Amino acid sequence: PIEGLPAGTIGGAKFTKDGKSLAITAATYNSSSDVYEYTFATKSFQRWTESETGGMDVSSLSEPELITWKSFDGKMISGYLYKASSKFTGKRPVIINIHGGPEGQSRPVFIGRNNYFLNELGISIILPNVRGSTGYGKTFTDLDNGMKREESVKDIGALFDWIAQQPSLDKDRVMVTGGSYGGYMTLAVAATYNDKIRCALDVVGISNFNTFLKNTESYRRDLRRVEYGDERDPEMSAFLEKISPLNQTEKIKKPLFIVQGQNDPRVPYTEAVQMKDKIKEKGGTVWFLMAKDEGHGFRKKNNTDFQFYATIEFIKKYLVE
């Protein structure tokens, strides 16, 4: 065990030629990536670099907290809580941001411009690692495969119960968001737990697994079938149709913001368009943003800026106020 290194992730490690110290690259909640040297004789760290944070004042940022909660079947699920700045008092609104993959993992790293929500809007952020996430063993990673897909959604249902028990969090002001598979999770949570949220933000998300598997690029199709199930099997196709958010739009009564890139080869833009059209048909509130020059997530600065400012307006209107 070594002491003195902030909570975060280590991306690289290399011994010095004399073997007396170890250089590591670490990303933390208040630093995007920096180099540290650990000297074995003194058991001490020396920080060699100060990464650029774009002029952000990181002094008020607090270390993310590892949290755990019991899900519907007794399994313990974990995630990270980034608390709103201490300058805000009372119960704070919450953004639940679900990672994609689904075989991804949220880690306690620097969250960049999302610190704006902590510092300027007084919103706490939770990054859950629901079943299906990596980093917890192969069994845990496979717990959402095929017919078990909705069990990961129930993990978020249990998270709502955990939030309700926290004195610093406002259970009546919760937004769910995520990108790609996290976008599917966002839509599924919005339909299943409509009464637990204020609003939802879906970024390049899957709205119907059957149409997704049909329209995603062919080089990805077999790989995705291992995770989601083979839609050519009538039984599996019927199951995927039943759980798809596109077929549950009547349950989505809270405002929804959909963001999509028109050139997305992974989750085709048709997934977003059909969801938007169905929500409007049902009389729901839906914001829609599609960039014609983007793919699976926005990359160009003018587009990412526009998306961020639009997200702030959506959050101010439907979550904070």
Side-chain angles (χ1 to χ4, degrees):
I2 54 179
E3 303 292 337
L5 188 67
T9 62
I10 294 174
K14 189 172 184 179
F15 288 97
T16 53
K17 290 183 178 180
D18 61 11
K20 294 182 178 180
S21 60
L22 177 71
I24 64 169
T25 302
T28 67
Y29 69 98
N30 60 2
S31 161
S32 59
S33 186
D34 278 300
V35 178
Y36 295 78
E37 181 183 7
Y38 181 72
T39 303
F40 296 104
T42 60
K43 296 183 178 180
S44 62
F45 272 105
Q46 181 177 1
R47 182 173 176 172
W48 281 99
T49 64
E50 294 279 348
S51 59
E52 176 59 58
T53 57
M56 182 187 301
D57 178 11
V58 297
S59 63
S60 64
L61 300 180
S62 58
E63 192 169 294
E65 175 186 342
L66 176 63
I67 61 173
T68 58
W69 62 95
K70 186 179 290 188
S71 195
F72 69 98
D73 56 355
K75 287 186 172 57
M76 297 305 295
I77 309 298
S78 65
Y80 291 96
L81 168 63
Y82 289 73
K83 290 184 177 179
S85 171
S86 59
K87 68 184 179 183
F88 294 93
T89 59
K91 289 179 175 286
R92 305 316 313 158
V94 183
I95 293 175
I96 299 174
N97 192 332
I98 308 170
H99 67 70
E103 296 178 346
Q105 183 187 26
S106 290
R107 300 174 181 179
V109 295
F110 186 63
I111 58 174
R113 60 171 46 168
N114 285 327
N115 282 297
Y116 180 88
F117 302 126
L118 307 177
N119 285 346
E120 306 302 327
L121 297 183
I123 302 170
S124 292
I125 300 174
I126 295 176
L127 306 179
N129 283 316
V130 298
R131 67 190 68 204
S133 302
T134 52
Y136 305 90
K138 292 181 180 179
T139 299
F140 190 84
T141 301
D142 291 341
L143 284 179
D144 67 338
N145 287 4
M147 296 285 190
K148 301 175 183 177
R149 182 62 46 202
E150 290 182 299
E151 295 185 15
S152 59
V153 179
K154 291 180 181 179
D155 290 340
I156 301 297
L159 177 56
F160 288 128
D161 296 335
W162 182 89
I163 290 172
Q165 298 169 2
Q166 307 309 307
S168 64
L169 303 178
D170 188 348
K171 69 177 180 60
D172 296 320
R173 288 189 292 171
V174 179
M175 180 181 95
V176 61
T177 185
S180 194
Y181 175 76
Y184 155 72
M185 286 287 290
T186 296
L187 296 173
V189 169
T192 307
Y193 300 103
N194 172 78
D195 60 329
K196 302 288 187 181
I197 64 171
R198 275 280 189 91
C199 55
L201 168 58
D202 155 38
V203 181
V204 298
I206 300 166
S207 62
N208 182 302
F209 283 107
N210 283 325
T211 57
F212 159 73
L213 289 167
K214 176 183 177 182
N215 295 319
T216 191
E217 287 292 334
S218 57
Y219 70 88
R220 304 187 70 252
R221 198 167 291 133
D222 286 338
L223 175 67
R224 294 296 82 197
R225 282 169 174 157
V226 173
E227 174 68 44
Y228 300 128
D230 192 335
E231 82 289 359
R232 295 169 298 185
D233 175 358
E235 184 181 0
M236 179 56 68
S237 177
F239 172 76
L240 293 175
E241 202 67 28
K242 179 175 74 76
I243 70 168
S244 289
L246 184 67
N247 297 321
Q248 303 179 61
T249 49
E250 72 282 354
K251 299 178 183 177
I252 301 177
K253 312 245 182 230
K254 302 297 172 61
L256 172 66
F257 188 6
I258 298 174
V259 178
Q260 179 69 42
Q262 189 168 334
N263 302 320
D264 191 340
R266 297 187 180 188
V267 180
Y269 77 93
T270 48
E271 290 296 303
V273 171
Q274 65 187 11
M275 192 70 191
K276 179 257 297 181
D277 291 344
K278 196 80 174 288
I279 292 286
K280 290 181 73 173
E281 177 187 316
K282 299 291 184 181
T285 299
V286 58
W287 290 24
F288 186 74
L289 172 61
M290 183 159 67
K292 296 182 178 180
D293 56 348
E294 293 285 6
H296 195 61
F298 291 9
R299 297 291 181 268
K300 299 177 180 178
K301 188 176 188 306
N302 61 319
N303 292 334
T304 58
D305 286 349
F306 190 95
Q307 178 187 357
F308 186 62
Y309 300 143
T311 299
I312 290 171
E313 291 304 311
F314 181 78
I315 287 173
K316 282 183 175 179
K317 183 174 179 64
Y318 296 114
L319 180 64
V320 176
E321 295 179 357

